[in-house]
């Protein structure tokens, strides 16, 4: 993380611990995909499971638990039969959504180039 300074709005190397702490939590394999899936409004667990292709029930449960703990997603349980639970991006989570979209766009745009580089660097 060297090279970061406070000039130009970049964090200093002193902020490295805070940066790692937050990025460790949100940059796992599923968190950003879940936040992205919730950007359009609240979804139930089953809807989220369909929206986030490839995620297991267990991983979705753990990911939602962490996102709720971090205040990025809210969980609302309705007293109905059968019970209904919805997940929604919080105000804090909404500040992350544009970054998630930008990162997803970047990944899609550069995927082929990255894969070509990987293939070219294999020995």
């Amino acid at each position: 993380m060297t090279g970061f300074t406070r000039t130009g709005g970049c964090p200093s190397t002193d902020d490295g611990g805070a940066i790692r702490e937050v990025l460790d939590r949100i940059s796992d394999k599923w968190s950003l995909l879940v936040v992205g899936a919730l950007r359009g409004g609240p979804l139930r667990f089953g809807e989220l499971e369909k929206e986030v292709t490839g995620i297991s029930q267990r991983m979705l449960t753990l990911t939602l638990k962490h996102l709720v703990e971090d205040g990025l997603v809210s969980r609302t349980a309705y007293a109905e039969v059968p019970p209904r639970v919805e997940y929604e991006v919080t105000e804090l989570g909404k500040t992350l959504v544009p970054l998630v979209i930008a990162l997803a766009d970047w990944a899609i745009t550069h995927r082929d180039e990255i894969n070509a580089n990987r293939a070219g660097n294999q020995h």
Side-chain angles (χ1 to χ4, degrees), residues 23-109:
L23 288 181
D24 282 349
R25 210 41 191 257
I26 63 169
S27 67
D28 64 50
K29 186 173 181 179
W30 301 110
S31 292
L32 295 180
L33 294 174
V34 170
V35 169
L38 290 169
R39 74 187 182 280
L43 293 174
R44 295 174 73 171
F45 187 92
E47 295 168 324
L48 260 174
E49 194 173 23
K50 290 175 186 168
E51 190 75 21
V52 182
T53 306
I55 194 167
S56 68
Q57 282 187 355
R58 182 181 186 295
M59 280 311 304
L60 181 55
T61 299
L62 288 172
T63 301
L64 286 167
K65 178 182 177 223
H66 290 148
L67 291 171
V68 169
E69 285 174 359
D70 292 343
L72 298 171
V73 169
S74 64
R75 178 186 187 275
T76 305
Y78 296 92
E80 300 175 353
V81 178
R84 178 171 56 109
V85 177
E86 289 183 340
Y87 296 90
E88 185 172 16
V89 177
T90 63
E91 289 303 313
L92 177 60
K94 287 177 184 175
T95 65
L96 183 59
V97 169
L99 303 171
V100 170
I101 300 303
L103 186 56
D105 287 344
W106 184 90
I108 291 166
T109 299

